[in-house]
């Protein structure tokens, strides 16, 4: 199990005085990834245009390059702006299998200081039921403290129109357990 207090302090110390959003994300992905053997793929998918996530800093094997908001666990987190804890990815309808070894997944929406969605933080595990509400809560707090000042996402409402992106003001939501029936016609990326 992760010592989230030590992880939080380590990330805070490494990121102190850093203002570059990508450098912050890369450091967080690296530190979280190496903090627990359950974490096989750890990284960010950034909002780069309306309803589209593109791969950002990550640790692990290759990831999907582009994920629309309409697909997969990352898309569900981006659409709903709710944490997704998936105990069995095979049971999640519309799961995008970026890696065939993934058995469970945790995805946390990431907002900037103004509350605009800028990314999702995705952790995959080759173990079933690898994540719980404690993981989600601790990691969400770390992300909020570390990325609150991110500038990413500020340009999106201006260029694309705010109607395309989720509204920045929302109440703090608790993690949701998502389950669905498997889809035999699922497209893999």
């Amino acid at each position: 199990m992760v010592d989230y207090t030590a992880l939080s302090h380590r990330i805070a110390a490494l990121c102190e005085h850093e203002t570059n959003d990508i450098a912050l994300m890369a450091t967080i992905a690296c530190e979280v990834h190496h903090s627990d053997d359950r974490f096989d793929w750890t990284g960010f998918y950034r909002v780069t245009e309306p309803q589209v996530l593109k791969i950002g800093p990550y640790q692990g094997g290759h990831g999907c390059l582009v994920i629309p908001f309409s697909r997969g666990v990352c898309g569900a987190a981006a659409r709903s702006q709710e944490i997704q804890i998936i105990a069995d990815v095979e049971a999640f309808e519309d799961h995008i299998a970026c890696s065939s070894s993934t058995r469970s997944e945790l995805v946390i929406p990431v907002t900037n200081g103004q509350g605009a969605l800028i990314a999702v933080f995705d952790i995959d595990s080759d173990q079933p039921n690898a994540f719980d509400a404690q993981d989600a809560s601790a990691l969400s707090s770390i992300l909020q403290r570390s990325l609150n000042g991110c500038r990413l996402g500020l340009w999106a409402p201006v260029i694309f129109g705010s109607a395309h992106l989720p509204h920045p003001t929302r109440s703090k939501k608790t993690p949701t357990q998502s389950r669905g029936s498997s889809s035999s016609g699922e497209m893999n990326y």
Side-chain angles (χ1 to χ4, degrees):
M1 193 56 138
V2 180
D3 179 346
Y4 283 113
T5 301
L7 178 63
S8 179
H9 290 305
R10 191 166 55 253
I11 289 172
L14 289 166
C15 294
E16 187 175 14
H17 305 300
E18 181 55 63
T19 59
N20 182 280
D21 302 334
I22 301 301
L24 290 167
M25 288 181 177
T27 301
I28 292 165
C30 180
E31 289 301 314
V32 171
H33 184 74
H34 293 286
S35 70
D36 195 310
D37 290 339
R38 295 176 296 162
F39 305 163
D40 293 318
W41 193 96
T42 309
F44 291 89
Y45 282 97
R46 301 178 322 131
V47 178
T48 58
E49 57 188 274
Q51 306 296 308
V52 174
L53 298 165
K54 288 194 178 181
I55 199 161
Y58 71 93
Q59 297 279 308
H62 69 83
C64 297
L65 298 180
V66 179
I67 298 176
F69 279 28
S70 61
R71 297 279 326 276
V73 180
C74 289
R79 272 192 321 273
S80 67
Q81 291 196 32
E82 292 181 355
I83 294 170
Q84 304 291 309
I85 301 172
I86 310 301
D88 177 6
V89 296
E90 297 295 323
F92 185 85
E93 189 174 339
D94 199 36
H95 173 254
I96 300 172
C98 296
S99 170
S100 61
S101 67
T102 300
R103 295 293 167 250
S104 58
E105 190 167 359
L106 170 63
V107 183
I108 302 170
V110 179
T111 57
N112 64 15
Q114 290 70 40
L117 181 72
I118 59 169
V120 298
F121 186 62
D122 182 20
I123 304 176
D124 296 350
S125 179
D126 64 357
Q127 302 171 28
N129 202 22
F131 308 106
D132 60 24
Q134 180 184 354
D135 295 312
S137 177
L139 289 166
S140 184
S141 292
I142 289 170
L143 292 167
Q144 184 178 21
R145 280 191 304 275
S146 302
L147 297 173
N148 192 40
C150 276
R151 294 177 313 277
L152 292 173
L154 293 180
W155 51 268
V158 175
I159 293 174
F160 300 120
S162 59
H164 296 290
L165 297 175
H167 193 273
T169 56
R170 61 184 171 82
S171 61
K172 184 170 180 142
K173 298 184 179 169
T174 57
T176 57
Q177 296 284 133
S178 296
R179 300 193 196 288
S181 60
S182 67
S183 170
S184 61
E186 185 170 270
M187 181 182 282
N188 292 334
Y189 290 90

